[in-house]
C-alpha cells in the first residue's frame, strides 16, 4: 500500500455555481468514494465534477455531491461513484501538528493553482499540477486555529485581481505520511509564499457533536481526540549535541522577546556577521522606533539558547554581556567589570586586580581581551547614539580607547551595537565592521499580529477588528513597531474620550506624545536651516536628486547652504541617500512627523511649500509634444498631488484636464478617475470645472460606465457653449459622439462626431480633427456603411501624409481594418490589423492595439483558423487589460469564448463568457447580456441540452446588436439552427 501522498488520488475539483459561473479547486481522495476539499470551493455549487490523473493514462472523472461541509472551518467532503475500473483505495491517514511547543514541521501539498496555467498546442488552457513543499511553524496562527504554510513563492501572477494560488484551495496538507489540514486561503498582503490551511484537529474540536460524528465516520477516524502527532521534532538542524550554555551578564535590553515579530532576514544577516572571525563589530542602525534593540536582543536570546540565527555555523559564545545606555549605562568601567564577571570567578579576581592597578587604559583592555583567549564573547551595546556626537565620534575617551583596541588586538570579543547613528570609523577599519540597517517597518502580517497582541484581553476592541482595518492602520504608520505600540497605548490611556483606532490615526503625527516618542533624538538640536531643509524633504516625500532640493530651497530660503545642511543630516542619519540613483529622502515616519508640525500658512508654511513642490514638477515635466507614454506625464501627476495638498483644487483640475485624457488612453483610466473624484466637489471656477468634466468624461469612456461618460460630456458641452470656449466644445462634442458610438446610438454618434471634426478643423486642431474622423469612420462601420467608413480611413491617411504624424497614420489603419471587418473582407482585415499594430508601435502608443488584435482574431475565426484566432484574441485581451479598458476586455473574452465553442471546449466557453459578461457589466455595456446568453448556451451544450443551448444562442445574437467588434450574430443564429435540427432529428452531428 502506498504510504503518504499518492499522485493518483489528487483530485481536480470543477464546480458550476448556481449563478452559472465556474470555479476550480483541488482535493484528495481520502476514501474509495470520498474527496476532501475546502468548503468555499464547492459553496453554492450547482454541479461538481472530480477529475483524477488529468491528461494522463488512466484519466477519469465523476460527478460529486457535498456529503459534509462546514463554512466556519472551511472544510468539505465530497461523495462520488467511481467508475467500475477505478482502483479502490484505503482510507487516508490523518494526524495533527502540536501547538503547544516551538517546532518547524516539513509539510507538502499538491493542487492546481492559477499560476500553473498552461496552453495546449491547440490554444486551449489547462492547469498543471503543482507540488508545494514547505514548512509550518507550529506556534503561528494560534488565534485563528489554522496552519501558516511557508512555501516557495508563486513563479507568476497572471491576474492581479485574483490570487496566483487560486485553485490550490482544497489540497490536502501532509506532514510526513499524515494529512493534517486542508489548504484554504492566500492573503496577498502576506506575500506570495504564505498560505493558510484549516487544521483537521481543530475542525474536529470546533464543530458540533453531530457534525463531528459524521466527519469521523466519513474519514474513518477511530478516535478524534487521539490523532497521532506529526513532526514531533523540529526541522533538523545540524547543531552540536548538548551545547554548552553561555554565561550571561546583564538583563536583556528589551522585553517580550517570546512575542518578537519577523526581522528574519535582519537576524540572519546579523548572525552571519557575528559568526565571521574577521568582523569585530556589527551595528544595527535605523530611525527611532524601528525595533533595533528588539532584533539585537532576539539574536542574543537565540545565541543564549544555543542557536545561531539563519544558517550560520560557528562555535556558540561562551559568554554574553548586555549593556544599555538606558539602564545601567555604558562606560569602560561597566563594560570591563561585566565582561570580567562573565569570564568566571578565577578570571574575574585577576582582572579586578588589573583594573585597580595604576596602569594605562590600553593595558587593562589588553588584559581583558587576553583573558578571553579563543573563546567567543558577544557584547551587546544598546543605544550607542546616546554617547555619540553628530559626527558619529565618541565623547568618552576611555570608550574610544576600547574601540581602538577592538580593531587592533588579535583576540577580541564581538560587539553587537544598536544606534540611530553609526560609530565613525577610519576608512581602514571599515572592513572589520558591518552595518545592518532597519529601514522598513514590519510586514503586514506581523504588524497585524502585533496590534492584536497589544490588546490581549480585547478590552480596547483592537483584537476583534478585521485584518483589513488593522492593515490600514499599519500602513498609516509604515509598520514602525514603536508607532504600532503607541497607537494602542494612546487608546488605553485615554479613559475619558475612549477613542477608536481610527480616531487615533486621524491626528497621530500631530500628538505631542507621539512626536516625543518617535522623533529622532537629534531633531530637537537642529538649527533653523536644517529644519527648513527637513520640511522641504517632508513635503517632497519621495526620493529626489540634489538639484531638486537646491531648486526648491532657492525659492523659499535663498542663501541657505544646501550642501552643508544635507551633509549634516546625512551624518546623523536623518536623511538617507541612494547611491545607485543619487537621490535623497527622509524615512516616511520622519516625513510624517515633520509634515504634521508644519504651520498651514506663511512663507515656510505647508501651502507655500506644497506650491513650490508643484512648481518643481511642472518645471521638470517634458512638453506635450514629447509625450509618448505614461512615464512622460509622471511629473505632472506629482504636480497634481502637491496642488491638491496645497488646497489649490481649481489649478489641480486644470492640470488634470490636460493629462487625464492621455492617461485614460494609455492604460491608467482608473487612476484618472480617482484623481477626478478627488477634486469633483471642491471646484469654484467654471473654467476648472469644464476641464474636469471633459477629462472625467474621457476617463469614464475608457473605464466605464459609459452612461456616466455621456452625462459628463453633455454637461461639458453646455458649459463650453456658455463660456464660448470652442476648443473645449470640440473636445466635449467629440467625447459625446464617441460615447454614443460605443452605446450603439449610431445616428446620434454620426451627427456629434461630424460636428466635432468640423469644429476641430475650424480651430486648426489637426490632431483632434483626426481623432474625430476616426470615430466617425468607426460609427459608419457599425452602421454597415463600409464605403463611407473607408472614405474616412482615406481622409485620415491624407491628414497623416500632410502632417507626418505617426499617430494619425496608425489611426488611418485603425479605421481601415474596422471597415474591412464590417464588410467581411477577412484577409484584408488581418493585413490591415497587422499594419495598425505596427503603426501604433512606431507611434509609441498602444491606443487601439487591442482592437486591431481583436479584429484579426475574428477574421481568423471566419477563415476557419481557430488556433490562430485564439492566440490573437489572447493577445488582444492582454492589451485591453493593460489599458484598463473593461469594455474591450469583455469583447475579446466574448470572442474568445466563441473560439472555445468552435473547438468543442464548451466548458471553457462558459467560463470565458462569464468573464466577458463581468467585464462588460463593469463598463456599463449593453452587450453584457449577449455574453451572459453565450455562457448559458455553453453550459447547456455541455449538458447536451440542445434546445436550451439553441435558445440561448439566439438571445446572444439579439443582444450583440450592431457591435462589429464582436463575432457576427449570424454565426450564432446559424449554430442555433443546427442545434435545433440536431435535437429534432436526433442526429449526432451539429
Amino acid at each position: 500500500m502506498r504510504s503518504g501522498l499518492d499522485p493518483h488520488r489528487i483530485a481536480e475539483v470543477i464546480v458550476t455555481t448556481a449563478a452559472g459561473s465556474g470555479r476550480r479547486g483541488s482535493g484528495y481522495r481520502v476514501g474509495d468514494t470520498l474527496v476532501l476539499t475546502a468548503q468555499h470551493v464547492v459553496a453554492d455549487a450547482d454541479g461538481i465534477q472530480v477529475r483524477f490523473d488529468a491528461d494522463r493514462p488512466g484519466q477519469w472523472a465523476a460527478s460529486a455531491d457535498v456529503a459534509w461541509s462546514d463554512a466556519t472551518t472551511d472544510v468539505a467532503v465530497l461523495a462520488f461513484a467511481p467508475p467500475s475500473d477505478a482502483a479502490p483505495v484505503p482510507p487516508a491517514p490523518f494526524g495533527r501538528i502540536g501547538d503547544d511547543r516551538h517546532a518547524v514541521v516539513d509539510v507538502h501539498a499538491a493542487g492546481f493553482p492559477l499560476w500553473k496555467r498552461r496552453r495546449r498546442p491547440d490554444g486551449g488552457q489547462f492547469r498543471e499540477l503543482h507540488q508545494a513543499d514547505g514548512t509550518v511553524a507550529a506556534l503561528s496562527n494560534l488565534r485563528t486555529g489554522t496552519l501558516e504554510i511557508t512555501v516557495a513563492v508563486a513563479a507568476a501572477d497572471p491576474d492581479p485581481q485574483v490570487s496566483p494560488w487560486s485553485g490550490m484551495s482544497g489540497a490536502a496538507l501532509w506532514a510526513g505520511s499524515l494529512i493534517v489540514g486542508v489548504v484554504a486561503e492566500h492573503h496577498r498582503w502576506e506575500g506570495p509564499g504564505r498560505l493558510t490551511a484549516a487544521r483537521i484537529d481543530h475542525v474536529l474540536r470546533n464543530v458540533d457533536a453531530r457534525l463531528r460524528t459524521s466527519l469521523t465516520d466519513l474519514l474513518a477516524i477511530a478516535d478524534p481526540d487521539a490523532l497521532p502527532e506529526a513532526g514531533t521534532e523540529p526541522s533538523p538542524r545540524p547543531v552540536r549535541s548538548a551545547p554548552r550554555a553561555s554565561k550571561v551578564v546583564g538583563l536583556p535590553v528589551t522585553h517580550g522577546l517570546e512575542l518578537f515579530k519577523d526581522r528574519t532576514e535582519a537576524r540572519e544577516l546579523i548572525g552571519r556577521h557575528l559568526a565571521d572571525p574577521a568582523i569585530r563589530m556589527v551595528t544595527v542602525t535605523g530611525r527611532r522606533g524601528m525595533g533595533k534593540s528588539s532584533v539585537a536582543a532576539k539574536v542574543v536570546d537565540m545565541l543564549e539558547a544555543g542557536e545561531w540565527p539563519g544558517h550560520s555555523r560557528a562555535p556558540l559564545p561562551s559568554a554574553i554581556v548586555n549593556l544599555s545606555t538606558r539602564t545601567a549605562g555604558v562606560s569602560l568601567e561597566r563594560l570591563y567589570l561585566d565582561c570580567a564577571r562573565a569570564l568566571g570567578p578565577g578570571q574575574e579576581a585577576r582582572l579586578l586586580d588589573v583594573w585597580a592597578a595604576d596602569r594605562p587604559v590600553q593595558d587593562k583592555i589588553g588584559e581583558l581581551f587576553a583573558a578571553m583567549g579563543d573563546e567567543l564573547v558577544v557584547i551587546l551595546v544598546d543605544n550607542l547614539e546616546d554617547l555619540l556626537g553628530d559626527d558619529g565620534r565618541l565623547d568618552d575617551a576611555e570608550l574610544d580607547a576600547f574601540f581602538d583596541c577592538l580593531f587592533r588586538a588579535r583576540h577580541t570579543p564581538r560587539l553587537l551595537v544598536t544606534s540611530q547613528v553609526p560609530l565613525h570609523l577610519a576608512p581602514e577599519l571599515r572592513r572589520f565592521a558591518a552595518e545592518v540597517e532597519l529601514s522598513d517597518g514590519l510586514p503586514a502580517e506581523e504588524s497585524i499580529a502585533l496590534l492584536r497582541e497589544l490588546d490581549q484581553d480585547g478590552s480596547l476592541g483592537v483584537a476583534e477588528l478585521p485584518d483589513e482595518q488593522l492593515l490600514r492602520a499599519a500602513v498609516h504608520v509604515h509598520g514602525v513597531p514603536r508607532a504600532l505600540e503607541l497607537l494602542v497605548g494612546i487608546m488605553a490611556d485615554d479613559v475619558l474620550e475612549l477613542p477608536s483606532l481610527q480616531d487615533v490615526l486621524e491626528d497621530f503625527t500631530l500628538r505631542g506624545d507621539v512626536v516625543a516618542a518617535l522623533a529622532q533624538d537629534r531633531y530637537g538640536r537642529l538649527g533653523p536651516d536644517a529644519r527648513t531643509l527637513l520640511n522641504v524633504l517632508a513635503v517632497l516625500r519621495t526620493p529626489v536628486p540634489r538639484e531638486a532640493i537646491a531648486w526648491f530651497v532657492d525659492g523659499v530660503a535663498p542663501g541657505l547652504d544646501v550642501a552643508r545642511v544635507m551633509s549634516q543630516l546625512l551624518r546623523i542619519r536623518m536623511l538617507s541617500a541612494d547611491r545607485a540613483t543619487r537621490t535623497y529622502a527622509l524615512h516616511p515616519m520622519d516625513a510624517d512627523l515633520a509634515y504634521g508640525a508644519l504651520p498651514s500658512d506663511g512663507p515656510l508654511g505647508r501651502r507655500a511649500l506644497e506650491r513650490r513642490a508643484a512648481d518643481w514638477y511642472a518645471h521638470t515635466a517634458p512638453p506635450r509634444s514629447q509625450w509618448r507614454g505614461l512615464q512622460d506625464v509622471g511629473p505632472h501627476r506629482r504636480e497634481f498631488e502637491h496642488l491638491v495638498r496645497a488646497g489649490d483644487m481649481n489649478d489641480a483640475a486644470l492640470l488634470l484636464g490636460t493629462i487625464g485624457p492621455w492617461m485614460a488612453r494609455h492604460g491608467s483610466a482608473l487612476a484618472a478617475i480617482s484623481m477626478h473624484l478627488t477634486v469633483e466637489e471642491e471646484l469654484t471656477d467654471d473654467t476648472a470645472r469644464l476641464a474636469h468634466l471633459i477629462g472625467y468624461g474621457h476617463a469614464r469612456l475608457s473605464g466605464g460606465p459609459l452612461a456616466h461618460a455621456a452625462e459628463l460630456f453633455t454637461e461639458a458641452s453646455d458649459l463650453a457653449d456658455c463660456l464660448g470656449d470652442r476648443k473645449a466644445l470640440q473636445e466635449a462634442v467629440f467625447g459625446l459622439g464617441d460615447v454614443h458610438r460605443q452605446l450603439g446610438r449610431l445616428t446620434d454618434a454620426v451627427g456629434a462626431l461630424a460636428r466635432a471634426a468640423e469644429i476641430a478643423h475650424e480651430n486648426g486642431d489637426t490632431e483632434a480633427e483626426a481623432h474625430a474622423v476616426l470615430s466617425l469612420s468607426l460609427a459608419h462601420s457599425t452602421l454597415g456603411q463600409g464605403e463611407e467608413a473607408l472614405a474616412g480611413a482615406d481622409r485620415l491617411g491624407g491628414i497623416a501624409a500632410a502632417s507626418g504624424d505617426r499617430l494619425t497614420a496608425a489611426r488611418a489603419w485603425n479605421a481601415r481594418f474596422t471597415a474591412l471587418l464590417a464588410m467581411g473582407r477577412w484577409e484584408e482585415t488581418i493585413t490591415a490589423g497587422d499594419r495598425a499594430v505596427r503603426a501604433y508601435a512606431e507611434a509609441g502608443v498602444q491606443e487601439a492595439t487591442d482592437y486591431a488584435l481583436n479584429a484579426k482574431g475574428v477574421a481568423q475565426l471566419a477563415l476557419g483558423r481557430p488556433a490562430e484566432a485564439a492566440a490573437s484574441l489572447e493577445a488582444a485581451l492582454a492589451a485591453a487589460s493593460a489599458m484598463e479598458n473593461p469594455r474591450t476586455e469583455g469583447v475579446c473574452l466574448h470572442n474568445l469564448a466563441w473560439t472555445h465553442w468552435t473547438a468543442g471546449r464548451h466548458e471553457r466557453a462558459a467560463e470565458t463568457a462569464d468573464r466577458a459578461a463581468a467585464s462588460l457589466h463593469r463598463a456599463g455595456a449593453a452587450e453584457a447580456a449577449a455574453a451572459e446568453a453565450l455562457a448559458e448556451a455553453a453550459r447547456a451544450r455541455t449538458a447536451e441540452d440542445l434546445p436550451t443551448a439553441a435558445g440561448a444562442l439566439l438571445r446572444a445574437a439579439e443582444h450583440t446588436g450592431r457591435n462589429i467588434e464582436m463575432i457576427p450574430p449570424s454565426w450564432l443564429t446559424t449554430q442555433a439552427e443546427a442545434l435545433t435540427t440536431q435535437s429534432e432529428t436526433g442526429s449526432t452531428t451539429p
Side-chain angles (χ1 to χ4, degrees):
M1 181 178 68
R2 187 185 297 270
S3 176
L5 192 155
D6 181 348
H8 299 293
R9 296 169 69 169
I10 299 167
E12 189 173 6
V13 182
I14 304 165
V15 175
T16 302
T17 69
S21 59
R23 184 187 304 140
R24 288 178 183 260
S26 304
Y28 191 80
R29 191 180 177 193
V30 293
D32 203 37
T33 61
L34 301 171
V35 163
L36 179 69
T37 188
Q39 188 274 340
H40 74 266
V41 171
V42 295
D44 302 321
D46 191 46
I48 305 172
Q49 186 182 61
V50 289
R51 183 163 61 189
F52 301 89
D53 288 323
D55 295 325
R56 299 171 61 199
Q59 170 183 316
W60 61 275
S63 297
D65 296 304
V66 178
W68 188 97
S69 70
D70 178 60
T72 303
T73 57
D74 200 9
V75 171
V77 179
L78 309 179
F80 64 94
S84 57
D85 58 349
V89 298
F94 291 89
R96 67 184 180 88
I97 290 178
D99 56 8
D100 56 353
R101 61 186 174 81
H102 168 268
V104 179
V105 181
D106 290 328
V107 295
H108 52 277
F112 303 89
L114 177 64
W115 69 270
K116 288 294 292 264
R117 190 166 57 189
R118 299 287 188 269
R119 187 183 299 279
R120 295 187 178 93
D122 65 358
Q125 293 184 344
F126 66 96
R127 294 193 189 184
E128 182 57 278
L129 181 66
H130 175 65
Q131 175 181 315
D133 295 325
T135 58
V136 162
L139 298 182
S140 291
N141 291 15
L142 288 182
R143 188 182 190 91
T144 55
T146 56
L147 295 171
E148 176 189 87
I149 317 164
T150 300
V151 296
V153 300
D157 191 358
D159 186 346
Q161 302 301 317
V162 181
S163 164
W165 291 101
S166 174
M168 193 73 180
S169 292
L173 182 69
W174 294 78
S177 60
L178 301 173
I179 296 177
V180 296
V182 176
V183 176
E185 291 180 292
H186 169 238
H187 301 294
R188 274 190 176 272
W189 58 81
E190 294 180 353
R194 286 188 179 171
L195 306 176
T196 300
R199 303 174 65 122
I200 294 298
D201 56 330
H202 280 239
V203 174
L204 292 168
R205 186 184 311 159
N206 293 323
V207 297
D208 62 38
R210 180 185 60 81
L211 285 174
R212 186 186 197 207
T213 299
S214 175
L215 183 60
T216 54
D217 289 345
L218 286 169
L219 301 184
I221 296 174
D223 185 353
D225 296 320
L227 289 177
E229 184 172 348
T232 53
E233 295 298 326
S235 294
R237 292 178 178 268
V239 297
R240 296 175 301 279
S241 60
R244 181 182 58 183
S246 303
K247 175 70 177 293
V248 179
V249 174
L251 294 173
V253 298
T254 190
H255 48 76
L257 291 176
E258 66 280 2
L259 299 177
F260 181 82
K261 298 295 172 200
D262 193 60
R263 301 297 193 200
T264 303
E265 184 178 347
R267 281 185 278 145
E268 292 183 357
L269 189 55
I270 294 168
R272 189 158 67 245
H273 289 318
L274 284 178
D276 184 351
I279 300 295
R280 304 295 177 85
M281 180 175 70
V282 182
T283 305
V284 184
T285 61
R287 72 166 319 281
R288 193 173 187 181
M290 290 301 293
K292 301 182 296 296
S293 300
S294 294
V295 73
K298 183 61 180 178
V299 168
V300 168
D301 182 63
M302 295 173 70
L303 293 174
E304 182 183 350
E307 178 185 7
W308 275 99
H311 304 288
S312 299
R313 296 292 173 262
L316 289 165
S318 60
I320 296 171
V321 176
N322 291 310
L323 297 168
S324 175
T325 61
R326 311 287 170 86
T327 54
V330 176
S331 64
L332 179 62
E333 179 182 23
R334 171 56 56 196
L335 193 156
Y336 184 99
L337 296 179
D338 283 359
C339 285
R341 182 151 59 98
L343 294 176
Q347 292 282 17
E348 182 180 15
R350 188 183 69 80
L351 289 170
L352 289 179
D353 289 340
V354 171
W355 182 258
D358 185 15
R359 297 175 61 176
V361 168
Q362 287 81 359
D363 286 357
K364 297 178 181 181
I365 297 170
E367 290 285 355
L368 177 64
F369 289 173
M372 295 177 183
D374 292 329
E375 297 288 340
L376 175 59
V377 176
V378 173
I379 304 172
L380 171 55
V381 180
D382 190 36
N383 296 308
L384 184 65
E385 71 271 5
D386 291 347
L387 304 176
L388 301 179
D390 286 349
D391 59 358
R393 300 180 189 275
L394 280 162
D395 296 328
D396 186 313
E398 289 189 336
L399 278 177
D400 195 44
F402 175 85
F403 281 96
D404 183 66
C405 293
L406 179 76
F407 291 106
R408 293 179 184 276
R410 183 177 181 82
H411 299 290
T412 69
R414 309 273 169 80
L415 256 64
L416 177 55
V417 173
T418 72
S419 181
Q420 294 177 35
V421 180
L423 177 68
H424 176 80
L425 295 174
E428 66 271 15
L429 300 181
R430 289 181 176 273
R431 58 179 171 164
F432 303 114
E435 181 179 345
V436 177
E437 184 179 9
L438 301 185
S439 56
D440 297 325
L442 295 177
E445 182 184 8
E446 282 71 24
S447 295
I448 291 169
L450 178 57
L451 285 169
R452 286 205 168 99
E453 285 172 2
L454 292 168
D455 183 27
Q456 283 284 6
D457 60 2
S459 61
L460 301 176
V462 173
E464 302 305 321
L465 291 175
D467 284 357
E468 292 77 9
Q469 191 168 344
L470 296 180
L471 178 61
R472 285 196 295 271
V475 170
H476 189 93
V477 299
H478 311 289
V480 173
R482 181 58 180 146
L484 295 169
E485 294 170 353
L486 289 171
L487 278 176
V488 180
I490 292 167
M491 294 177 65
D493 291 343
D494 195 337
V495 296
L496 182 61
E497 298 292 337
L498 302 177
S500 67
L501 183 62
Q502 185 58 41
D503 293 335
V504 175
L505 285 172
E506 287 176 358
D507 64 350
F508 185 67
T509 57
L510 304 179
R511 300 176 64 99
D513 49 352
V514 170
V515 174
L518 288 177
Q520 299 276 42
D521 291 340
R522 286 162 169 73
Y523 183 78
R525 303 205 297 265
L526 294 178
D529 285 355
R531 284 180 180 264
T532 295
L533 192 60
L534 200 71
N535 291 340
V536 165
L537 290 160
V539 167
L540 286 169
R541 290 181 175 266
T542 56
V544 291
R546 178 176 163 184
E547 53 267 32
I549 301 171
W551 188 94
F552 194 129
V553 170
D554 187 57
V556 295
L560 189 152
D561 189 341
V562 173
R564 177 185 62 79
V565 178
M566 284 181 66
S567 297
Q568 175 192 355
L569 294 175
L570 286 164
R571 279 196 303 272
I572 63 175
R573 296 296 179 98
M574 291 198 72
L575 179 62
S576 62
D578 185 326
R579 287 183 177 273
T581 60
R582 295 182 176 272
T583 56
Y584 303 84
L586 296 181
H587 187 279
M589 178 56 73
D590 292 320
D592 287 350
L593 293 170
Y595 194 83
L598 279 172
S600 295
D601 297 303
L604 293 175
R606 176 180 56 79
R607 297 189 67 186
L609 295 181
E610 290 287 6
R611 286 169 179 153
R612 182 63 177 173
D615 289 345
W616 160 254
Y617 285 112
H619 171 73
T620 59
R624 174 66 177 80
S625 60
Q626 295 179 13
W627 292 1
R628 293 295 180 269
L630 284 172
Q631 70 278 4
D632 296 319
V633 297
H636 282 310
R637 293 174 71 169
R638 292 283 188 194
E639 180 188 359
F640 173 85
E641 293 171 5
H642 288 290
L643 288 172
V644 167
R645 285 203 286 266
D648 297 340
M649 296 301 186
N650 290 325
D651 289 339
L654 290 169
L655 173 64
L656 186 54
T658 301
I659 65 173
W662 177 274
M663 291 172 60
R665 289 198 301 270
H666 290 77
S668 285
L670 299 182
I673 288 170
S674 176
M675 294 164 75
H676 279 288
L677 290 173
T678 300
V679 300
E680 185 174 29
E681 301 297 328
E682 308 293 333
L683 302 177
T684 58
D685 177 78
D686 282 343
T687 303
R689 178 154 189 81
L690 179 57
H692 158 70
L693 289 169
I694 294 172
Y696 196 13
H698 281 294
R700 287 298 184 189
L701 180 62
S702 294
L706 294 174
H708 190 189
E711 295 171 3
L712 292 164
F713 283 128
T714 300
E715 184 179 349
S717 299
D718 293 342
L719 184 55
D721 254 338
C722 182
L723 295 176
D725 188 333
R726 295 285 291 174
K727 187 175 188 309
L729 179 63
Q730 153 202 316
E731 294 178 11
V733 173
F734 163 74
L736 186 58
D738 217 17
V739 174
H740 285 321
R741 181 181 65 82
Q742 295 195 32
L743 286 171
R745 304 167 184 166
L746 299 176
T747 302
D748 291 337
V750 168
L753 292 169
R755 184 185 177 205
E758 180 185 350
I759 298 172
H761 184 75
E762 292 170 357
N763 290 341
D765 191 337
T766 304
E767 181 183 354
E769 180 186 359
H771 205 175
V773 171
L774 168 63
S775 290
L776 181 59
S777 173
L778 298 178
H780 282 307
S781 292
T782 306
L783 282 167
Q785 300 167 350
E787 294 303 327
E788 289 87 343
L790 286 175
D794 292 338
R795 180 179 171 185
L796 282 169
I799 295 174
S803 65
D805 183 59
R806 291 184 174 182
L807 179 57
T808 303
R811 287 172 172 170
W813 284 110
N814 186 352
R816 187 166 299 280
F817 76 67
T818 307
L820 294 169
L821 178 69
M823 299 167 77
R825 292 157 60 172
W826 307 122
E827 289 289 1
E828 292 175 85
T829 299
I830 294 171
T831 301
D834 286 336
R835 291 290 301 271
V837 171
R838 289 200 300 272
Y840 276 116
E842 290 168 0
V845 298
Q846 287 185 288
E847 182 176 278
T849 300
D850 46 359
Y851 291 100
L853 291 167
N854 176 72
K856 180 179 177 181
V858 173
Q860 287 165 330
L861 265 180
L863 293 169
R865 288 144 53 181
E868 294 177 41
S872 296
L873 292 169
E874 289 280 9
L877 176 60
S881 297
M883 294 287 289
E884 295 182 358
N885 190 330
R887 180 183 176 277
T888 314
E889 282 180 351
V891 168
C892 295
L893 284 165
H894 182 85
N895 296 337
L896 189 58
W898 184 251
T899 307
H900 292 315
W901 178 295
T902 60
R905 299 187 294 268
H906 300 107
E907 183 182 333
R908 286 290 305 281
E911 294 174 358
T912 308
D914 280 332
R915 292 172 59 198
S919 293
L920 291 166
H921 273 303
R922 195 161 68 249
E927 294 89 350
E932 289 173 341
L934 179 57
E936 181 185 345
R939 279 190 291 275
R941 184 68 180 82
T942 301
E944 297 298 328
D945 184 352
L946 303 188
T948 299
L953 285 176
L954 291 175
R955 290 200 307 280
E958 177 186 355
H959 291 298
T960 300
R962 289 176 161 179
N963 190 332
I964 58 170
E965 298 157 358
M966 299 172 76
I967 55 169
S970 60
W971 296 2
L972 300 170
T973 56
T974 299
Q975 177 73 140
E977 291 167 1
L979 291 177
T980 300
T981 300
Q982 181 182 355
S983 173
E984 292 172 349
T985 63
S987 170
T988 58
T989 57

